[in-house]
Amino acid sequence: MYQTLKKYFGYDSFRPQQEEIIQTILAKKDALVLMPTGGGKSLCYQIPALIMPGTAVVISPLISLMKDQVESLRESGIYAASLNSNNTDRESADIRRDCLFGKVKILYISPERLLSEIPFLLKSMNISLFAVDEAHCISQWGHDFRPEYTQLKVLHQYFPEVPVIALTATADKVTREDILHQLGLVHPKVFQSSFDRPNLSLTVKKGLKKKEKTMAILEFLSRYENECGIIYCMSRKATEEVAEMLQEHDIPAAVYHAGLSAEERNFTQEEFLKDRIQVVCATVAFGMGINKPNVRYVIHYNLPKSIECFYQEIGRAGRDGLPADTLLFYSYADIAQLTRFAEESGQQSMNKERLQRMQEYAEASVCRRRILLNYFGEQSLHDCGNCDVCRNPPQRFDGTILVQKALSAVMRTGQHAGFHLIVDILRGNQTQEITQRGYDQLKTYGVGRDVPARHWHDYLLQMLQMGFLEIDYKENLHLKVTETGAQVLYGKLTATLAQIREERLPVTARKSKSSTVSRRTGQSMPSRHAPFLDDESEGLFEALRALRKRLADEQGFPPYIIMSDSTLHLLCSMKPTSIESFGMVSGIGDFKKQKYGKEFVTLIRTFI
Ligand code: ADP
Ligand code: ZN
């Protein structure tokens, strides 16, 4: 096992559970592997595939995923192939023949193709194992349901002797039961890893206006020159606006949403994988196919509709285990919009509950990671130190009077005013609406003049979250005082609010490529594991990255197929000057040593 790991993948040790999972497969037993994105699921079936005689058959839902895996394995000197609807007849025939002769070690196949190929090909092949990748596609309750996945019971019906390993990053119980049941796994061993992704930092920014969001995004991106990320937006229009804004600031950005043609979407995805587009502004349509390991950040331009969606989306950052940052914007407008969606959906109460939990996360005054893990049924005993709450815990104060002012304003409008109008009344703003409705005559008009409008926005969000106020969706989103709210208003309850943190972010102009200032050392948001690079090493790092990109471009695949960012960082610090020492670096197996050693070593020598 260790020899195979070193020879083909260049790694020295297994990650938690990998070894046990591999042993289970080698013993020809079924297994279900639940491991977060980036946990290292692929090796769990690839190593047994290399050790066992015959061909491993991997069922995978997307052609792009298969292509990626096949390219990556071939770059490790392993004969892998994929059978899918993109193959020409000739290719299919060649692959089939090589499978029959046992030359192909790992065969990727789509579920539809598998079903149609079973009677012919597979019966005459020597199959070592079946791996069902993205196994959550089996569940109707999940987000990526694929009807063909529900027929995979045939695997054990036709091949009772061959072990089946199912793998997914989706944790929830229903999905798990569905997988076990529908695949008909026999006494499966279930391996459940922690779903924590400690390398992802978590930050939430509340109530920012469009312009402020733009500034915050530019500031954030200024730390990521040349590095890729995703910005998720609620609407197509928003993706277009954000992408345009980035392009105006010379940041290569593109949009991705369901309104584009399949070709357009494929093109964008490919360019992103190949590090040619830096930022993709996407709706949720940009999903499962994104197994790019070096996505360095995920920004949510709007609040997602549930913690499941949120976790899935931020999970696309930092698959390589290196530090990655996530930033979530959260505003009243998002809540209003999402609640409307939930109201109009078929499963009103469930969707509202989900949104409520998402909102709790956004309003958190305790470690955000603990909230996430808790949501997935994992108790964490420690604060993470890598979320904004841990880094800068909110101060609390007795906010009873502020709450009373706001609730009183709501009451005096006869509960017929919305969020922004209430802020105008509290601030004593003279808008047309205020004078027309005579709200300037109210006793509460202007009682909150001393508090800036943006703070009122924040406090009102807190009051919504604490259940002092609610939004009436049937009545033009007017605010209503709840029973608990009434108790505060009449002095029977006190209310604690979180102090608002003022962070005025200076917009740093985008640094030119020749800039010698390291964006890493200039970071304002601490990334716990950020590899420290001085200016000189940064020069080497950029040179290595450029070499990797050139070599990848020449062969028409993404740079991460050649080696991961972590391997680049290792090369940068170890500076191997012989092919032999190049081959010792973690992530460089025999094949890569032979194929790329000379070029990398030559480059590194020029930096010594
Ligand atoms: P998943 O499928 O669980 O999202 P992958 O299988 O793509 O994760 O693995 C994520 C990254 O971790 C890959 O770059 C992989 O090469 C790396 N990796 C996996 N196992 C190990 C290991 N034992 N040592 C070092 N790196 C590993
Ligand atoms: Zn924390």
Side-chain angles (χ1 to χ4, degrees), residues 5 11 13-15 18 36-43 319:
L5 181 71
Y11 299 137
S13 57
F14 286 104
R15 295 222 179 119
Q18 282 180 330
T37 312
K41 286 185 286 298
S42 323
L43 280 191
R319 290 181 73 128

Side-chain angles (χ1 to χ4, degrees), residues 78-366:
I78 298 161
Y79 188 0
S82 76
L83 274 180
N84 60 56
S85 52
N86 271 6
N87 296 138
T88 60
D89 287 348
R90 182 64 213 258
E91 278 167 346
S92 292
D94 287 350
I95 294 170
R96 275 209 190 86
R97 190 198 55 230
D98 287 350
C99 283
L100 293 176
F101 285 118
K103 283 199 203 154
V104 176
K105 275 321 278 179
I106 308 184
L107 175 70
Y108 287 83
I109 191 164
S110 60
E112 341 21 74
R113 189 69 177 253
L114 175 96
L115 295 169
S116 67
E117 296 278 8
I118 275 184
F120 313 105
L121 176 67
L122 303 186
K123 271 291 182 191
S124 35
M125 246 172 87
N126 179 16
I127 297 171
S128 54
L129 64 97
F130 287 108
V132 181
D133 206 7
E134 311 288 349
H136 61 278
C137 292
I138 237 169
S139 176
Q140 303 204 38
W141 310 109
H143 28 80
D144 301 314
F145 177 56
R146 289 283 298 266
E148 309 82 27
Y149 260 66
T150 59
Q151 295 177 48
L152 294 180
K153 217 177 196 141
V154 295
L155 294 178
H156 261 328
Q157 288 166 352
Y158 283 94
F159 306 93
E161 305 296 314
V162 180
V164 175
I165 171 175
L167 311 102
T168 175
T170 303
D172 76 83
K173 269 209 176 97
V174 189
T175 309
R176 183 173 147 168
E177 292 306 314
D178 263 358
I179 297 172
L180 291 174
H181 176 71
Q182 295 201 38
L183 284 180
L185 298 187
V186 184
H187 305 306
K189 260 192 114 163
V190 179
F191 296 90
Q192 161 108 56
S193 311
S194 165
F195 272 72
D196 192 12
R197 303 280 314 277
N199 60 321
L200 302 186
S201 80
L202 306 166
T203 303
V204 177
K205 287 192 195 294
K206 255 199 301 188
L208 266 54
K209 296 199 198 91
K210 196 165 161 184
K211 246 193 179 151
E212 296 168 324
K213 280 199 207 177
T214 300
M215 273 168 46
I217 291 174
L218 290 174
E219 197 277 335
F220 188 92
L221 292 194
S222 68
R223 288 180 263 130
Y224 288 103
E225 199 180 338
N226 294 331
E227 305 215 66
C228 297
I230 305 172
I231 303 182
Y232 280 107
C233 306
M234 202 187 309
S235 66
R236 289 178 194 177
K237 189 161 157 264
T239 61
E240 276 150 17
E241 285 173 5
V242 177
E244 217 163 279
M245 178 279 285
L246 293 175
Q247 286 157 2
E248 278 165 16
H249 286 83
D250 288 335
I251 299 171
V255 296
Y256 190 105
H257 53 67
L260 302 172
S261 69
E263 292 84 65
E264 285 171 306
R265 277 184 290 164
N266 278 342
F267 178 76
T268 301
Q269 178 164 328
E270 283 285 312
E271 293 290 290
F272 182 61
L273 295 182
K274 290 179 179 162
D275 292 350
R276 290 182 194 143
I277 288 174
Q278 200 188 337
V279 185
V280 174
C281 304
T283 57
V284 290
F286 196 49
M288 194 162 57
I290 318 309
N291 47 353
K292 181 179 168 69
N294 56 340
V295 174
R296 293 269 67 88
Y297 51 90
V298 167
I299 298 177
H300 279 90
Y301 195 73
N302 305 100
L303 193 76
K305 64 180 198 284
S306 70
I307 289 188
E308 279 96 346
C309 293
F310 174 66
Y311 205 58
Q312 183 108 40
E313 284 154 12
I314 61 170
R316 304 205 166 102
R319 290 181 73 128
D320 52 13
L322 293 176
D325 291 315
T326 77
L327 170 63
L328 165 67
F329 292 112
Y330 156 63
S331 74
Y332 167 75
D334 296 340
I335 305 271
Q337 179 71 283
L338 288 167
T339 313
R340 212 182 329 233
F341 289 157
E343 293 265 337
E344 290 162 3
S345 74
Q347 299 161 307
Q348 211 190 85
S349 61
M350 190 168 77
N351 287 337
K352 270 162 81 173
E353 165 71 21
R354 285 185 170 149
L355 176 58
Q356 182 70 30
R357 302 290 300 270
M358 187 64 229
Q359 230 175 311
E360 280 167 22
Y361 170 85
E363 281 289 344
S365 57
V366 297

Side-chain angles (χ1 to χ4, degrees), residues 455-521:
H455 289 199
W456 274 121
H457 280 250
D458 190 315
Y459 292 140
L460 285 173
L461 282 170
Q462 291 188 43
M463 290 178 220
L464 281 168
Q465 180 57 33
M466 282 188 286
F468 300 151
L469 278 175
E470 62 190 2
I471 303 170
D472 191 333
Y473 293 91
K474 306 224 165 56
E475 210 199 282
N476 297 322
L477 307 175
H478 289 162
L479 292 175
K480 307 270 157 157
V481 176
T482 62
E483 266 177 45
T484 331
Q487 291 193 22
V488 180
L489 185 57
Y490 302 124
K492 292 187 190 130
L493 264 187
T494 56
T496 309
L497 292 177
Q499 216 136 42
I500 291 156
R501 283 173 264 176
E502 273 301 354
E503 35 174 350
R504 292 264 127 237
L505 297 169
V507 182
T508 17
R510 201 169 155 72
K511 289 175 213 125
S512 70
K513 286 217 162 55
S514 59
S515 163
T516 52
V517 184
S518 159
R519 70 184 175 284
R520 283 164 219 275
T521 48

